[in-house]
Amino acid sequence: MHLEFDRLFEQVRIVDETLLEEYSENWIRPKLLNSPILEENYKGSEESDISENQSQKYKVIEPRDAQIEALYALNKTRQEGYSKALIQAATGVGKTYLAAFDSLSNQRILFVAHRQEILLQAAKAFKKIHQTENIGLLDQDHKDLDAKILMASVLTLSSDQYLNHEIFSRKAFDYIVIDEFHHAAAKSYQKILDYLQPKFLLGLSATPERMDGRSVYALCDFNVPYKVDLQKAINRSLLIPFHYYAIYDDTDYSQMRKSGGRFVIEDLEKAYESSKSRSLSILKHYRKYPSKQAIGFCASKAHASLMARYFTDNGIPSAAVYSSSSKDPYALERAEAISQLQEGKKRVLFTVDMFNEGVDIETIDMVMFLRPTESSTIFLQQLGRGLRLSKGKKYLTVLDFIGNYEKAFLSAALLSKGVKKANSLVSIHQLSLPEGCLYDFDLELIDLFEKIKKSKRTKSEWIKDEYYRIRQTIEHRPSQREFFENMEDELLDIILRESSLNPFQNYLAFLNGLGELNEEEKILMNSMAGKFIYCIETTAMSRVYKMPVLMSLIDQEHQVIRMEVSDKKMLEQWKSFFSKNENWKDLSKKGQNLSFQEYRECNFICVSRERTARPAQIFFAICAFIKKRGNEIMAKIKRNP
């Protein structure tokens, strides 16, 4: 008996945090439970009312499912020393309620968004969770500056009128939430983030990729403690499954102009307006699948108006929805359009980008992509408009019209849980969809994908094309950092894996190869300074001492390279570096803090002799010194303040 026990025990895994995370990541709700769950929670996953007492002023709402996991992750990340975090969760999972729960222990809270609809929805959520009436708005029409919980428009808050010590001190808010965090790289958001200094900053986004031309991960210290993507949300029945139909679009995109990597709108409008067969194909496929409320995403205002007119003329009551639409007889303002759609007066709304964010219409049962998919961020946002749970809705129908453009495969790859690189050309047979989902591709598309795969650029050509695209977008020669932050994710993954292609390991030589250096810069590249830059670019950050040593070479206040560095300055930087976030974990192979939390406020003794030398000599001398003595100094040499 004991032998059998030992045999079984050898197969047992300890139930620790790693195992629980793995289980959560792969768990799929049993099919027998799906229908009751969808029916029970048809109002959506933003809230879960577990009890209601008529004598109480507020319903009692508690976190559930993914929200519970995210709250645990946020609490843990604060214990590890982080003061910033980004939660990445699919649209409809309940990010706003999550923020309301997580901020409960704070005295003053700021919620920042760029649309009034988002602010009003957030105000309702925070009111329910915090059970308070002390919630105010700061926008063009409201100035509730003294509210405990302030819902602020980014446009209003970012003005000099409010970002000053007379109105808001830098530490006026304990907890700040930035909704739709993928916008946070914009100047208005940057101004707010640079001025305010909360105890904790929480970013919320379904798709935090480089939508604004630079990585937003840096704005939250690259700290993403919790993710729940589209596939995981559907598998848990937090979102509705989709039926995806990829339909061949015979529009010729090969001769269309591009600007900043995107098709020129005028070329798209001209092609769509002149193609009656395309409009007929869209109408035919719409009628093929049952739908009561649909949204069609168009390339431009003119395209949206064209489609609304064509559908209406063919017996499908429709409207175009876009800004400044008062002169268009087929267009409606957004609020009126939504109302008519929900009342059944309209069957389809054709829009450009107005429904990407901040609009919740749970009853949408069809979305149509009527223009080239060029951005994974926008595609997933628009898809999310129809994935919310709703009574009687079993799935979302997705009609995607795909033509002969470079990223024709993008949307299909984004829907697959088995494809890690969204921009990868994949075989249709490799796609692995979430539970309850299905896909169907026109045969012409399968042939098209193969042609694109065969004609794909070499990696070196791709890097050069990407450089010129970014140069055109930012209107100047990109710095090494700008090139990195604006680069497409898939290409970045490739060059980080293949060092022979990596332009960041010798950026001056890369620029020289493109003819981008002037004569003075060419001299610099071949000098001792150029060799020093190359040394830094190629130094692997595989030792705990290297990053603080490199940072000690920079005068942070004036943002210049120091021409001399003392041991004292270097150890001050060491102390600063390991005081941030969870960097202190690197001081020990076991990941423990070596009592760092106890002595990080002490003054450190360093050797008395100051080193003064040229930067290149400084680098090698200090690296050698720290490698030999650094950990010893940090762990053993300290003095009372």
Side-chain angles (χ1 to χ4, degrees):
M1 181 67 71
H2 71 276
L3 293 176
E4 180 65 13
F5 175 83
D6 290 342
R7 186 185 69 81
L8 293 174
F9 189 75
E10 288 177 357
Q11 303 175 39
V12 170
R13 291 182 60 183
I14 298 174
V15 181
D16 55 12
E17 192 165 307
T18 302
L19 180 61
L20 290 174
E21 287 180 0
E22 182 181 321
Y23 180 80
S24 172
E25 187 68 28
N26 296 300
W27 185 78
I28 298 175
R29 184 177 292 280
K31 292 182 179 179
L32 290 175
L33 297 179
N34 278 347
S35 295
I37 288 294
L38 293 178
E39 192 72 16
E40 176 185 319
N41 296 325
Y42 68 87
K43 289 184 179 179
S45 55
E46 283 289 274
E47 62 180 270
S48 176
D49 298 344
I50 63 167
S51 65
E52 181 178 4
N53 189 316
Q54 296 299 326
S55 64
Q56 291 179 325
K57 189 173 183 179
Y58 299 95
K59 294 180 180 180
V60 177
I61 300 175
E62 291 189 353
R64 67 173 199 186
D65 203 272
Q67 294 170 342
I68 296 174
E69 294 179 353
L71 288 170
Y72 174 80
L74 284 168
N75 185 54
K76 181 182 176 184
T77 204
R78 280 189 288 268
Q79 292 176 356
E80 292 174 339
Y82 279 101
S83 59
K84 300 176 183 178
L86 169 64
I87 295 297
Q88 183 178 346
T91 300
V93 170
K95 295 186 290 295
T96 304
Y97 276 83
L98 165 65
F101 284 120
D102 193 54
S103 62
L104 272 170
S105 62
N106 292 270
Q107 294 300 311
R108 197 152 189 226
I109 301 159
L110 174 67
F111 187 99
V112 181
H114 68 296
R115 292 187 186 275
Q116 189 182 46
E117 294 95 331
I118 298 176
L119 296 177
L120 294 176
Q121 290 173 10
K124 292 179 181 179
F126 275 74
K127 182 178 180 179
K128 291 177 182 178
I129 303 305
H130 284 256
Q131 301 196 6
T132 180
E133 299 289 337
N134 194 1
I135 298 178
L137 288 173
L138 176 60
D139 58 18
Q140 186 176 358
D141 302 318
H142 304 85
K143 305 292 185 286
D144 304 322
L145 302 179
D146 297 325
K148 174 187 174 182
I149 303 175
L150 183 61
M151 305 290 160
S153 159
V154 63
L155 184 62
T156 303
L157 180 61
S158 61
S159 68
D160 294 334
Q161 180 181 353
Y162 298 102
L163 288 184
N164 61 72
H165 289 284
E166 293 182 6
I167 304 298
F168 296 124
S169 69
R170 288 184 176 273
K171 297 184 179 181
F173 298 97
D174 303 304
Y175 192 105
I176 295 180
V177 184
I178 305 293
D179 197 39
E180 305 296 351
F181 197 69
H182 48 270
H183 292 301
K187 291 182 179 179
S188 54
Y189 285 89
Q190 281 289 291
K191 191 174 179 181
I192 295 170
L193 294 174
D194 289 342
Y195 179 79
L196 295 174
Q197 299 175 352
K199 293 179 181 177
F200 193 76
L201 173 71
L202 177 65
L204 303 175
S205 182
T207 53
E209 283 76 21
R210 296 170 170 83
M211 187 171 178
D212 287 283
R214 57 169 291 183
S215 174
V216 299
Y217 291 104
L219 303 177
C220 60
D221 293 342
F222 298 92
N223 181 33
V224 186
Y226 186 76
K227 294 182 181 180
V228 53
D229 59 18
L230 179 71
Q231 290 79 14
K232 189 175 180 181
I234 294 176
N235 285 337
R236 290 186 171 195
S237 294
L238 301 176
L239 298 177
I240 208 82
F242 58 79
H243 290 181
Y244 175 80
Y245 300 94
I247 302 160
Y248 180 66
D249 174 10
D250 62 4
T251 303
D252 184 9
Y253 294 92
S254 62
Q255 303 303 315
M256 291 188 188
R257 296 169 295 167
K258 280 195 169 185
S259 176
R262 303 290 175 87
F263 286 108
V264 174
I265 293 298
E266 290 77 12
D267 289 2
L268 290 172
E269 289 177 344
K270 184 178 180 180
Y272 294 160
E273 187 174 357
S274 62
S275 178
K276 293 183 179 180
S277 62
R278 187 177 194 272
S279 298
L280 178 61
S281 174
I282 294 170
L283 179 64
K284 181 185 73 174
H285 282 90
Y286 168 82
R287 285 175 167 163
K288 188 176 180 180
Y289 304 99
S291 171
K292 294 181 179 179
Q293 298 179 12
I295 294 182
F297 294 104
C298 301
S300 68
K301 297 176 182 179
H303 183 211
S305 181
L306 168 71
M307 294 309 305
R309 182 174 69 252
Y310 186 82
F311 265 57
T312 300
D313 290 347
N314 283 276
I316 310 295
S318 304
V321 187
Y322 55 85
S323 59
S324 304
S325 58
S326 57
K327 296 181 180 179
D328 185 349
Y330 292 93
L332 295 172
E333 294 297 324
R334 180 161 56 175
E336 178 63 20
I338 293 174
S339 176
Q340 291 200 23
L341 185 72
Q342 293 174 327
E343 293 171 4
K345 296 179 181 178
K346 301 294 183 187
R347 297 282 298 276
V348 186
L349 301 182
F350 292 98
T351 184
V352 186
D353 290 324
M354 289 190 73
F355 289 159
N356 291 7
E357 305 157 341
V359 178
D360 296 330
I361 311 175
E362 291 87 355
T363 47
I364 291 293
D365 56 19
M366 176 186 286
V367 294
M368 296 183 285
F369 294 97
L370 309 179
R371 76 288 182 270
T373 296
E374 299 175 280
S375 165
S376 59
T377 296
I378 293 176
F379 176 82
L380 291 174
Q381 283 179 337
Q382 295 178 343
L383 178 70
R385 296 307 102 199
L387 290 174
R388 289 183 181 273
L389 307 178
S390 180
K391 187 175 183 179
K393 186 170 72 169
K394 296 182 179 180
Y395 58 86
L396 171 72
T397 300
V398 182
L399 305 183
D400 193 0
F401 293 81
I402 301 174
N404 62 335
Y405 44 85
E406 186 180 355
K407 293 186 178 181
F409 50 84
L410 176 59
S411 52
L414 285 168
L415 298 176
S416 174
K417 65 180 179 180
V419 180
K420 295 182 179 179
K421 303 295 181 296
N423 287 355
S424 297
L425 279 169
V426 294
S427 166
I428 300 302
H429 304 293
Q430 288 179 275
L431 298 179
S432 178
L433 299 180
E435 284 292 297
C437 298
L438 61 84
Y439 62 82
D440 181 74
F441 289 80
D442 284 353
L443 292 177
E444 295 95 330
L445 285 177
I446 298 175
D447 294 336
L448 175 63
F449 289 172
E450 288 300 317
K451 290 180 181 178
I452 294 175
K453 189 173 183 179
K454 291 177 181 178
S455 63
K456 197 174 183 182
R457 299 166 291 182
T458 66
K459 294 173 184 176
S460 296
E461 291 172 337
W462 190 1
I463 293 172
K464 291 180 182 179
D465 290 345
E466 186 71 351
Y467 172 85
Y468 289 120
R469 180 190 69 81
I470 294 170
R471 197 185 204 288
Q472 180 181 5
T473 300
I474 65 178
E475 298 181 342
H476 63 262
R477 187 182 75 184
S479 67
Q480 192 174 31
R481 177 174 176 174
E482 288 171 331
F483 191 33
F484 176 85
E485 291 182 337
N486 286 272
M487 184 176 287
E488 288 187 6
D489 290 328
E490 185 193 1
L491 179 57
L492 182 59
D493 289 338
I494 290 172
I495 66 175
L496 291 179
R497 289 197 308 267
E498 301 182 31
S499 58
S500 61
L501 295 171
N502 194 336
F504 304 116
Q505 290 192 350
N506 197 338
Y507 196 57
L508 285 174
F510 172 74
L511 292 175
N512 189 48
L514 297 178
E516 293 280 82
L517 295 184
N518 58 37
E519 292 304 316
E520 185 178 356
E521 290 169 331
K522 291 178 181 178
I523 294 173
L524 172 68
M525 182 180 70
N526 296 311
S527 68
M528 177 64 75
K531 293 178 181 178
F532 174 58
I533 293 172
Y534 176 74
C535 175
I536 292 178
E537 288 177 323
T538 55
T539 296
M541 294 291 108
S542 57
R543 293 289 185 271
V544 68
Y545 60 84
K546 291 184 179 180
M547 185 58 72
V549 167
L550 289 174
M551 293 175 71
S552 71
L553 297 174
I554 302 173
D555 183 336
Q556 300 289 342
E557 182 178 355
H558 302 97
Q559 288 297 298
V560 296
I561 300 294
R562 289 192 174 104
M563 300 311 294
E564 60 180 32
V565 182
S566 66
D567 293 331
K568 181 179 179 181
K569 284 289 186 184
M570 184 269 297
L571 287 174
E572 284 177 357
Q573 181 60 58
W574 183 285
K575 174 184 172 182
S576 173
F577 179 80
F578 286 108
S579 295
K580 292 179 181 178
N581 303 330
E582 58 179 3
N583 293 346
W584 52 267
K585 284 187 174 183
D586 293 332
L587 289 171
S588 169
K589 292 181 180 179
K590 295 182 179 180
Q592 299 182 11
N593 64 8
L594 299 178
S595 301
F596 182 71
Q597 299 293 335
E598 298 175 10
Y599 61 74
R600 63 180 178 179
E601 298 302 327
C602 297
N603 293 326
F604 292 86
I605 296 177
C606 58
V607 294
S608 59
R609 182 175 62 85
E610 290 191 355
R611 288 184 170 90
T612 57
R614 289 178 299 175
Q617 295 171 315
I618 290 279
F619 174 73
F620 293 109
I622 294 181
C623 280
F625 169 76
I626 288 296
K627 185 173 183 180
K628 182 177 181 182
R629 298 285 309 284
N631 285 335
E632 177 185 348
I633 290 172
M634 286 294 295
K636 297 181 180 179
I637 303 180
K638 57 183 178 177
R639 179 178 290 173
N640 292 329

